[in-house]
């Protein structure tokens, strides 16, 4: 580390040897574009660098609203760039790594992550022409490493993508458990279950603060296991007379594999339509997360098969314009033509804000005689969330026993609900805030509002 002080930096923006600071620049008070900073003894560590999607108002003369990608304003850490020792990526969802290729030139630090996430990241850096410049250190799911003044330990969680990692961040001033995105799934279909033994051990190691996913804190009970979706999806496919098109989130490798397994069992060939599905499946193959027994067919080959022999997994569950399912619905797909008697299964929930687009896609599909099965009208579950509901948060607080809970990854109401779960389950203190606030974890717990400038920049 270059110890030369940055002259224009006020001294109170530099964490001291007694300090452990947490400063979210994105993802705190909102869902999306996660970017977290930890500060200790003159150094900063960044955890995740994601994007969010926003609806743009239609340009004049254009009827269709479009989606734009946005990222956090990194002015603050750009100013402290010499003190930034590393960027850690917890998992390969866009809201955690989507902004790396765009923002890395301002960060210029080594990246630490696990193999699957690194595989996705390399593809993005390659496209941006940055692959040769960025150093990526690949760790095991239970690996650990010291970077500057931070000691980092990866803890395997379960979520809706391979290798979701919680990170234990230790410094001489204090210790944090950064959960990132997680749920407690005993049967995640792909990859190993979460490392329960290690999570329970952390209680004996005194965690000063747990920075925790709040997405589903207002939902009672537990999330459904990814492995529990097989019967509902099997029923839906087995009873379909014609083609089956199943749409899910592009990064859900487990869902793709459940659907591909069901296809084999019901005498159908599977193919993927849509770039995000293809990229994810290819990364899964490259990193050992795709069993050789699950074969995928080229969409152009599926076109020659009888309808009842076809199961297509397609992007477009949110009704977005231009995705595979939208093109199929409008008879604008080069390979596949949908017909009356075909079935479309939405193995996804509708993200708030997308209801109108999904509704209009569903009515277009129905108008050509396609049967539509949405997650909410299936008698058995055909979609599972990747985030912890109330009872899972209870488990985690009881396992980790942190002195302080800092809810993130949610809107204010989700974070407030998460804080209430913490307080009701043995956590003495919680801190609620928003992007740009300084959460001081050590020496004493306090918050400074508006510590770092924040904002959003439009990427595309
Ligand atoms: Zn997330
Ligand atoms: Zn995620």
């Amino acid at each position: 580390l270059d110890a030369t002080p940055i002259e224009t930096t006020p001294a109170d923006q530099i964490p001291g040897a007694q300090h452990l600071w947490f400063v979210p620049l994105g993802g705190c008070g909102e869902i999306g574009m996660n970017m977290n900073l930890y500060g200790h003894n003159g150094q900063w560590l960044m955890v995740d660098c994601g994007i969010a999607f926003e609806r743009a108002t239609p340009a004049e003369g254009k009827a269709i609203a479009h989606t734009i990608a946005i990222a956090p304003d990194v002015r603050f850490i750009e100013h402290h760039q010499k003190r930034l020792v590393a960027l850690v990526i917890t998992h390969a969802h866009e809201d955690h790594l989507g902004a790396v290729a765009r923002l890395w030139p301002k960060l210029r630090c080594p990246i630490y992550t696990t193999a699957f996430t690194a595989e996705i990241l390399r593809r993005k850096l390659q496209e941006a022409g940055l692959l040769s410049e960025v150093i990526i250190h690949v760790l095991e799911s239970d690996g650990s490493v010291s970077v500057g003044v931070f000691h980092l330990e990866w803890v395997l969680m379960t979520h809706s993508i391979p290798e979701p990692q919680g990170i234990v961040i230790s410094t001489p001033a204090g210790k944090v458990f950064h959960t990132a995105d997680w749920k407690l799934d005993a049967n995640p279909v792909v990859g190993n279950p979460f490392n329960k033994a290690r999570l329970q051990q952390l209680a004996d190691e005194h965690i000063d603060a747990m920075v925790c996913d709040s997405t589903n804190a207002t939902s009672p009970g537990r999330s459904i296991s990814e492995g529990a979706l097989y019967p509902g999806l099997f029923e839906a496919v087995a009873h379909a007379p014609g083609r089956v098109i199943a749409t899910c989130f592009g990064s859900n490798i487990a869902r793709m594999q459940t659907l591909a397994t069901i296809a084999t069992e019901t005498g159908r060939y599977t193919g993927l339509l849509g770039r995000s599905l293809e990229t994810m499946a290819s990364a899964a193959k490259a990193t050992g997360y795709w069993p050789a027994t699950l074969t995928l067919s080229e969409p152009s080959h599926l076109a020659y098969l009888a309808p009842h022999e076809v199961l297509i997994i397609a992007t477009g569950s949110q009704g977005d314009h231009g995705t595979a399912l939208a093109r199929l619905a409008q008879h604008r797909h080069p390979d596949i033509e949908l017909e009356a008697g075909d079935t479309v299964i939405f193995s996804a929930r509708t993200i708030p804000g997308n209801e109108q687009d999904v509704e209009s896609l569903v009515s277009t599909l129905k108008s050509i005689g396609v049967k539509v099965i949405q997650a909410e009208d299936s008698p058995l579950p055909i979609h599972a969330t990747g985030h912890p509901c109330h009872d899972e948060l209870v488990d985690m607080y009881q396992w980790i026993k942190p002195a302080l809970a800092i809810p993130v990854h949610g809107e204010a109401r989700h974070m407030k609900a998460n804080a209430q779960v913490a307080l009701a389950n043995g956590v003495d203190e919680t801190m609620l805030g928003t992007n740009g606030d300084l959460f001081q974890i050590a020496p004493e717990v306090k918050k400074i509002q508006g510590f770092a400038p924040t904002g959003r920049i439009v990427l595309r």
Side-chain angles (χ1 to χ4, degrees):
L1 176 83
D2 182 350
T4 323
I6 304 166
E7 274 168 51
T8 51
T9 300
D12 61 5
Q13 280 193 354
I14 301 167
Q18 75 283 18
H19 290 137
L20 178 53
W21 288 354
F22 169 61
V23 181
L25 295 180
C28 185
E30 63 190 341
I31 293 179
M33 59 176 210
N34 297 284
M35 181 177 282
N36 307 284
L37 290 173
Y38 289 94
H40 170 69
N41 203 3
Q43 299 185 1
W44 291 100
L45 171 79
M46 183 181 281
V47 178
D48 290 333
C49 181
I51 55 169
F53 295 101
E54 238 178 35
R55 308 286 296 165
T57 30
E60 217 161 314
K62 282 193 179 172
I64 303 157
H66 63 290
T67 305
I68 51 167
I70 53 170
D73 182 335
V74 291
R75 239 176 316 161
F76 174 80
I77 195 62
E78 194 178 2
H79 189 70
H80 294 274
Q81 186 271 334
K82 286 201 164 80
R83 299 179 180 278
L84 178 64
V85 293
L87 164 59
V88 168
I89 306 290
T90 60
H91 65 290
H93 276 150
E94 287 287 312
D95 61 322
H96 296 259
L97 65 53
V100 175
R102 179 64 179 266
L103 296 180
W104 188 85
K106 295 173 191 284
L107 309 174
R108 311 202 77 85
C109 62
I111 298 177
Y112 292 79
T113 193
T114 51
F116 177 80
T117 308
E119 182 68 29
I120 297 292
L121 191 57
R122 279 191 205 104
R123 290 161 194 243
K124 288 178 177 285
L125 292 170
Q126 172 86 49
E127 255 176 51
L130 285 170
L131 191 56
S132 59
E133 278 187 69
V134 183
I135 296 169
I136 304 175
H137 298 279
V138 178
L139 281 96
E140 299 290 326
S141 279
D142 57 357
S144 62
V145 66
S146 283
V147 186
V149 295
F150 304 94
H151 181 78
L152 312 173
E153 180 199 342
W154 270 245
V155 180
L156 183 65
M157 311 291 272
T158 35
H159 184 38
S160 45
I161 194 165
E163 294 173 4
Q165 303 289 154
I167 315 284
V168 181
I169 302 165
S170 306
T171 71
K175 199 165 182 172
V176 171
F177 181 48
H178 183 98
T179 68
D181 296 7
W182 61 280
K183 68 191 274 193
L184 296 181
D185 194 342
N187 182 9
V189 179
V190 167
N192 291 320
F194 56 96
N195 191 345
K196 187 175 174 181
R198 183 65 191 122
L199 291 168
Q200 288 174 323
Q201 253 174 24
L202 287 174
D204 302 328
E205 297 175 21
H206 188 80
I207 299 296
D208 294 286
M210 179 165 124
V211 176
C212 180
D213 182 353
S214 308
T215 317
N216 281 339
T218 56
S219 306
R222 291 177 181 277
S223 64
I224 294 167
S225 168
E226 191 64 38
L229 304 180
Y230 173 89
L233 290 169
F234 185 90
E235 282 296 298
V237 174
H239 292 119
R243 288 178 195 82
V244 172
I245 317 294
T247 181
C248 65
F249 292 111
S251 56
N252 199 322
I253 308 288
R255 200 71 51 84
M256 285 185 235
Q257 291 186 8
T258 300
L259 288 162
T261 304
I262 292 168
T264 311
E265 290 167 356
T266 54
R268 293 173 185 264
Y269 293 87
T270 319
L272 305 177
L273 290 188
R275 186 163 174 246
S276 61
L277 285 163
E278 288 160 18
T279 304
M280 284 288 165
S282 143
K285 282 176 190 168
T287 49
Y289 287 106
W290 194 278
T293 47
L294 287 182
T295 50
L296 294 171
S297 306
E298 289 298 321
S300 53
H301 296 172
L302 296 176
Y304 296 100
L305 297 172
H308 70 271
E309 292 179 318
V310 174
L311 188 154
I312 287 164
I313 306 170
T315 53
S317 66
Q318 301 305 308
D320 10 7
H321 202 67
T323 50
L325 186 56
R327 293 166 76 195
L328 287 170
Q330 293 157 356
H331 297 294
R332 287 196 297 114
H333 199 278
D335 298 318
I336 309 289
E337 185 77 16
L338 278 192
E339 297 169 311
D342 292 345
T343 301
V344 171
I345 301 169
F346 281 79
S347 181
R349 77 181 177 107
T350 302
I351 294 171
N354 297 340
E355 293 88 349
Q356 273 191 350
D357 293 341
V358 172
E359 228 172 88
S360 113
L361 173 62
V362 167
S363 59
T364 307
L365 289 165
K366 285 181 175 168
S367 73
I368 53 175
V370 168
K371 183 184 175 189
V372 176
I373 302 173
Q374 285 180 278
E376 52 274 23
D377 46 52
S378 166
L380 294 168
I382 57 171
H383 174 64
T385 175
H387 300 275
C389 298
H390 177 275
D391 294 2
E392 291 157 277
L393 289 167
V394 170
D395 282 352
M396 193 61 80
Y397 283 119
Q398 291 182 350
W399 291 345
I400 309 292
K401 298 187 177 27
L404 166 70
I406 303 176
V408 295
H409 205 290
E411 293 166 11
R413 65 193 174 93
H414 305 118
M415 301 198 305
K416 204 173 155 197
N418 188 350
Q420 280 161 356
V421 180
L423 291 173
N425 289 281
V427 181
D428 286 337
E429 211 171 345
T430 66
M431 260 203 290
L432 290 168
T434 191
N435 295 334
D437 290 350
L438 163 64
F439 297 73
Q440 177 165 296
I441 297 160
E444 76 281 357
V445 171
K446 69 169 184 186
K447 191 178 80 180
I448 298 169
Q449 283 183 321
F451 170 79
T454 56
R456 36 232 291 133
I457 56 167
V458 175
L459 298 188
R460 57 174 187 264

